[in-house]
Amino acid sequence: MSRPLTVRQQHVFDFIVKTMNDYGYPPTRAEIAKALGFRSPNAAEEHLRALERKGAIRIIRHTSRGIRLPNQEGADAPDTAPAANDSTDTGTSGLPIIGEVAAGSPILAAEHIDRYCPLPAEYFTPKADYLLRVRGLSMKDIGILEGDLLAVHRTERVRDGQIVVARLEDEVTVKRFKRDGHQVTLLAENSDFAPIEIDLRTQQLDIEGVGVGVIRGGSGQALG
């Protein structure tokens, strides 16, 4: 960091670090504005640019969550991802793109892999293990839309508030995770969809990973 931060800039920086530690990905401008009481995301953008000038962060242009810390793994990744429809690799390098998932079979089984996207796993933080093609609009209010590719980090460890890929009775779904004792709630980000309630004493729930970014379907815009 080349120059000291102002008090307000420090608050923004601390919120970025906390969000990345808590959820595995940086906040959007709107989330920064809401958390710190700015009038608009534009005010957050001004503070982000000041932080970048002082060497506290690196901004990846044209992305919703394009904020990187200088010492962050993958900070030198490309600014934009290859287009989802134009990045087909004839080999097996890059991130596997998972389409329909058959009941009872591993999510990374060969029959589920549509193709590979030549995007480095380290583009996302934590690194992505696969890209899951989104079906439906249950998460549309946070910008995860039909046809998008959700970058997923494989882990069974999950915290409240994280976006997870969950397997419930052979159905794979993307939802926000919340747990209270033996009770788990999988929350949609769309008021048209009711929460899914799971009692871990009687129902099986497997976490296939946590969402660490989104590639907008067909546009090549990565929201990492």
Side-chain angles (χ1 to χ4, degrees), residues 21-24 126 152-160 162-165 177 179 206-212:
N21 288 338
D22 288 348
Y23 301 111
V152 183
H153 173 69
R154 293 190 73 186
T155 181
E156 294 180 355
R157 300 179 62 182
V158 58
R159 297 185 296 273
D160 276 5
Q162 287 187 300
I163 303 301
V164 302
V165 177
F177 181 90
R179 180 171 181 174
D206 296 306
I207 300 299
E208 298 282 359
V210 297
V212 293

Side-chain angles (χ1 to χ4, degrees), residues 20-222:
M20 294 176 75
N21 288 338
D22 288 348
Y23 301 111
Y25 49 80
T28 64
R29 278 70 169 166
E31 289 167 350
I32 294 172
K34 181 178 180 181
L36 298 180
F38 298 151
R39 290 186 177 181
S40 73
N42 289 336
E45 179 68 24
E46 291 178 5
H47 285 291
L48 291 178
R49 290 179 181 177
L51 288 173
E52 185 179 42
R53 288 194 297 270
K54 292 184 175 182
I57 64 171
R58 174 174 173 254
I59 297 175
I60 297 177
R61 308 299 173 188
H62 311 301
T63 66
S64 175
R65 299 184 187 273
I67 302 170
R68 300 291 184 268
L69 302 180
N71 61 348
Q72 177 184 345
E73 182 181 349
D76 293 328
D79 286 351
T80 57
N85 286 347
D86 298 329
S87 59
T88 303
D89 190 346
T90 55
T92 57
S93 61
L95 292 172
I97 297 177
I98 307 299
E100 297 290 344
V101 179
S105 61
I107 200 164
L108 283 174
E111 61 268 24
H112 300 155
I113 299 175
D114 291 344
R115 54 187 176 85
Y116 289 80
C117 175
L119 183 69
E122 292 77 14
Y123 181 86
F124 302 96
T125 305
K127 70 180 182 69
D129 292 291
Y130 61 93
L131 302 171
L132 180 68
R133 191 171 299 283
V134 176
R135 308 292 181 187
L137 294 172
S138 65
M139 303 299 285
K140 74 176 182 66
D141 289 351
I142 57 169
I144 302 177
L145 309 176
E146 173 88 27
D148 287 351
L149 298 177
L150 179 70
V152 183
H153 173 69
R154 293 190 73 186
T155 181
E156 294 180 355
R157 300 179 62 182
V158 58
R159 297 185 296 273
D160 276 5
Q162 287 187 300
I163 303 301
V164 302
V165 177
R167 187 189 294 267
L168 176 64
E169 297 179 355
D170 290 331
E171 179 184 353
V172 172
T173 186
V174 177
K175 295 290 185 290
R176 193 178 294 280
F177 181 90
K178 182 180 179 182
R179 180 171 181 174
D180 183 10
H182 57 76
Q183 192 74 26
V184 169
T185 305
L186 299 179
L187 297 163
E189 294 287 350
N190 182 342
S191 59
D192 293 336
F193 292 77
I196 301 173
E197 303 286 351
I198 301 106
D199 188 332
L200 297 177
R201 296 171 298 183
T202 59
Q203 294 173 279
Q204 178 70 33
L205 176 67
D206 296 306
I207 300 299
E208 298 282 359
V210 297
V212 293
V214 176
I215 297 177
R216 182 68 66 232
S219 73
Q221 185 180 40

